Amino acid sequence: MRRKIVAGNWKMHGSRAENAALVETIVASVTSERTTCVICPPFIYLHETWRQLRGGAVALGAQDLCAEALGAHTGEVSAAMLKDVGCEYVLVGHSERRALYGEDSPLVARKFAAAHSKGLTPVLCLGEQLAEREAGRTHSIVGAQIDAVVQLCGIQSFAQAVVAYEPVWAIGTGRTATPDQAQETHAFIRQRLACEDAKIAAGLRILYGGSVKAGNARDIFVMPDVDGGLIGGASLKADEFIAIFAAADSLAVSG
Ligand code: 13P
């Protein structure tokens, strides 16, 4: 069985003081070793957050990275730098990066490879727009997003990776995919990868993201191919995030 994972993506929110208070509450409440907890603050706060985590049950992740290893890339942050400041995870291909910063699937695949090369666990974000879902194109869009990474990095790279299905129409909108919609797309993703390697696909953790709240988390996380959540807005409220983590943990298996 797969361990559940709950990751908080803070996006471009917070301040030193606000983050410190949030982290303090999360660290004090998240003690379970059965379920993985990750928080992803903005780059500028990563190291300070890592110090506060003190090597406990909560892991550190970044929201993005540069596809290049080093050099003349003003304003960018490399995989090695993320590792150096204590990150274990990094989001790649978040829909906001794809939509607002022009990241296409080949670039996302290179970022996935860069993360992997330094021992970070990439959290590959996938998802369709509302018009694409309504046109019945969810599988072709999400399938192509996965295929780009498999082509460049190989199926073996998914042995150390996490996938997050985040339908764009559900992000920050309050409109959540139904548990059945999430399950259906998660099963499709797993099946697509199983064609390459059944064992790796069976062990892969696939998170759902998009308006997850304490009130709906359990109903989504209980679905057989949903292995936890990638949480945006609700991860900025300690009580809400802790309740979402507890929902995942209540369904968790040891090991
Ligand atoms: P919300 O939970 O705010 O919908 O955001 C989801 C998300 O984008 C997490 O990466």
Side-chain angles (χ1 to χ4, degrees):
M1 278 296 284
R2 300 177 294 270
R3 285 168 68 122
K4 297 269 186 211
I5 168 166
V6 173
N9 171 13
W10 295 358
K11 308 191 180 183
M12 198 170 71
H13 293 291
S15 63
R16 292 180 69 196
E18 285 165 351
N19 294 350
L22 185 56
V23 176
E24 191 179 320
T25 313
I26 292 171
V27 167
S29 309
V30 171
T31 51
S32 169
E33 303 274 330
R34 297 182 310 176
T35 302
T36 307
C37 183
V38 183
I39 51 175
C40 304
F43 284 138
I44 191 82
Y45 301 125
L46 283 171
H47 193 58
E48 195 165 341
T49 304
W50 176 77
R51 285 176 176 274
Q52 228 186 323
L53 295 179
R54 294 183 294 268
V58 181
L60 189 65
Q63 299 175 15
D64 186 27
L65 81 168
C66 183
E68 307 300 332
L70 82 172
H73 298 282
T74 302
E76 292 290 298
V77 176
S78 72
M81 291 170 185
L82 295 180
K83 193 81 182 163
D84 195 31
V85 297
C87 289
E88 295 176 59
Y89 295 82
V90 59
L91 308 185
V92 295
H94 191 280
S95 69
E96 288 148 20
R97 301 296 316 171
R98 293 181 193 255
L100 304 176
Y101 298 96
E103 294 193 9
D104 57 11
S105 284
L107 176 60
V108 172
R110 292 204 299 120
K111 291 190 172 197
F112 185 103
H116 229 257
S117 73
K118 296 298 173 200
L120 293 162
T121 298
V123 179
L124 173 64
C125 303
L126 314 168
E128 82 287 1
Q129 312 268 352
L130 183 58
E132 293 164 342
R133 171 161 284 265
E134 287 175 348
R137 296 181 58 220
T138 299
H139 287 188
S140 68
I141 296 293
V142 170
Q145 290 171 340
I146 301 173
D147 291 352
V149 178
V150 175
Q151 263 170 26
L152 184 74
C153 306
I155 185 66
Q156 294 301 326
S157 64
F158 283 82
Q160 194 209 316
V162 172
V163 165
Y165 169 57
E166 298 203 298
V168 179
W169 46 272
I171 296 178
T173 59
R175 179 177 171 187
T176 317
T178 65
D180 286 339
Q181 283 175 321
Q183 168 58 27
E184 194 274 330
T185 309
H186 282 224
F188 164 76
I189 293 167
R190 199 177 302 288
Q191 187 53 41
R192 184 95 167 194
L193 292 167
C195 296
E196 305 283 331
D197 188 307
K199 190 157 176 255
I200 287 176
L204 178 71
R205 292 184 291 176
I206 306 176
L207 313 183
Y208 169 79
S211 298
V212 176
K213 306 272 183 289
N216 61 22
R218 196 172 202 284
D219 288 347
I220 300 171
F221 296 168
V222 79
M223 302 309 280
D225 285 295
V226 179
D227 303 305
L230 179 55
I231 320 301
S235 72
L236 295 166
K237 300 176 200 137
D239 291 355
E240 191 80 9
F241 185 65
I242 289 161
I244 293 169
F245 180 83
D249 197 46
S250 72
L251 299 163
V253 289
S254 303

